[in-house]
Amino acid sequence: MPAFSTDDVLGNRLDFEIARDGFVRELRDAAVLRNAETWLRREGYRVVEMDAGAWGDDEQMHLDFAKGLQFPPHFGQNLDALDDCMSDVAEADYGWDASETGLVLVLSGFDRFARRLPRTADHVQHILRRQGRYAALFGNRLLTILA
């Protein structure tokens, strides 16, 4: 089952626009972000918000992902483990339920995190893009908004 249909293309749907552009999208305007979150929830998405701006180090980032997406206790708290766990999330093993339309991660203050830890932020974005594509192979929707 495809993650999207031609009706989604013609309908100018926000979720399709995010997926089409690589599964990760920046939305910096607060009003636009609020409207997007409202629309996504109304469409049946689980929206998980994380305050990336508060991440002072890799450990805080890993802990936030683990808590927000219910990673298993054996999560290794490194970028390889994050990628592994996000592939499980993409398959809807945990973090959300496949009966929902999809999962949207909203990482607020991501630009502040990226200034503090640019290399880690780049890896995280790469993981989220790759896992968004991976989810689509199963007909799942895993989208990320960088706010």
Side-chain angles (χ1 to χ4, degrees):
M1 163 189 238
F4 291 95
S5 71
T6 53
D7 291 339
D8 296 323
V9 176
L10 299 173
N12 293 317
R13 292 174 55 98
L14 173 62
D15 50 358
F16 180 80
E17 295 298 317
I18 295 170
R20 184 188 70 187
D21 292 339
F23 299 94
V24 175
R25 175 114 191 245
E26 290 184 14
L27 289 179
R28 302 283 186 221
D29 182 271
V32 172
L33 177 61
R34 277 193 308 277
N35 289 338
E37 288 184 59
T38 299
W39 185 90
L40 290 159
R41 284 188 173 97
R42 188 176 59 241
E43 292 296 314
Y45 281 89
R46 178 174 297 182
V47 177
V48 174
E49 299 177 61
M50 294 183 228
D51 183 5
W55 299 340
D57 56 30
D58 288 12
E59 182 180 3
Q60 289 175 321
M61 181 265 304
H62 289 298
L63 290 172
D64 232 13
F65 270 95
K67 180 181 176 189
L69 297 172
Q70 298 115 22
F71 286 178
H74 63 270
F75 171 57
Q77 295 191 20
N78 60 61
L79 291 170
D80 288 335
L82 177 63
D83 193 30
D84 288 344
C85 285
M86 287 305 300
S87 69
D88 294 339
V89 170
E91 295 173 13
D93 289 344
Y94 44 81
W96 67 293
D97 188 292
S99 67
E100 296 169 293
T101 303
L103 172 65
V104 178
L105 303 177
V106 177
L107 306 181
S108 62
F110 194 84
D111 55 337
R112 291 191 309 277
F113 173 65
R115 282 193 298 275
R116 275 194 297 276
L117 297 166
R119 189 182 129 145
T120 301
D122 185 58
H123 283 289
V124 168
Q125 285 187 69
H126 181 73
I127 289 167
L128 295 173
R129 281 185 168 75
R130 182 174 52 248
Q131 296 305 336
R133 289 189 305 270
Y134 183 66
L137 295 173
F138 298 97
N140 295 334
R141 299 177 183 187
L142 172 57
L143 310 172
T144 303
I145 295 174
L146 304 178

